[in-house]
Amino acid sequence: MDVKNACNSVLNAMEVADALISTGRYRTVLIASGESPSRAVRWEVGGLREFLRAFPGYTLSDAGAAVLLTDGETGIVGCGFTADSTQWDVGTLPGGGSRHPRDPERTYFDLDGARLKNAFLGLGGGVLDSTLDRLGLTWGDFAVVGVHQVSLPYLDVFADGSACPRTSS
């Protein structure tokens, strides 16, 4: 099946796979992922406004990965997701679907970098802290915490807003 949700695709697929394994329906699930956001980046811009809306897309890269999950002793310990749907228009790829099915101009990322930063920082680290609380864990239970984020300054502010201890940037 296709579990597509942009940057969260692998995480959402792991959540679905864990549910399938936990119910006993499957013993092993292979997740294969590939993204090619470079196809949706506007490389030729017609002016400053268009450049600014395209600029965050220049930080994206194409990648692929595979994860094999099996019925084991530990499984996925827990998941936590959050979103602010009021910020939906901060970054869009409006082409496809029924609204703009074949409009070539709608096949490029349209991103507002400043609003994207504010939306990200507005979510804060609460989802991490509340997930740990729900699971009865603390940051001390982990040797390493890896967070996917494009910009180191955003990551610093994010880490400062959570209870996650840091040893270096």
Side-chain angles (χ1 to χ4, degrees), residues 35-99:
E35 293 185 7
S36 52
S38 63
R39 295 180 351 196
V41 174
R42 186 182 294 275
W43 296 106
E44 295 181 23
V45 296
L48 180 60
R49 183 187 181 292
E50 205 170 78
F51 170 75
L52 292 174
R53 298 295 293 187
F55 184 77
Y58 304 147
T59 67
L60 305 173
S61 61
D62 299 346
V67 177
L68 185 66
L69 296 178
T70 60
D71 184 15
E73 191 174 307
T74 306
I76 294 177
V77 176
C79 298
F81 296 95
T82 189
D84 178 358
S85 60
T86 65
Q87 301 292 329
W88 73 269
D89 65 336
V90 168
T92 63
L93 183 60
S98 59
R99 189 168 182 198

Side-chain angles (χ1 to χ4, degrees), residues 140-160:
D141 292 316
F142 299 90
V144 175
V145 175
V147 177
H148 163 64
Q149 183 41 252
V150 175
S151 168
L152 187 57
Y154 291 15
L155 182 58
D156 289 339
V157 174
F158 181 77
D160 291 343

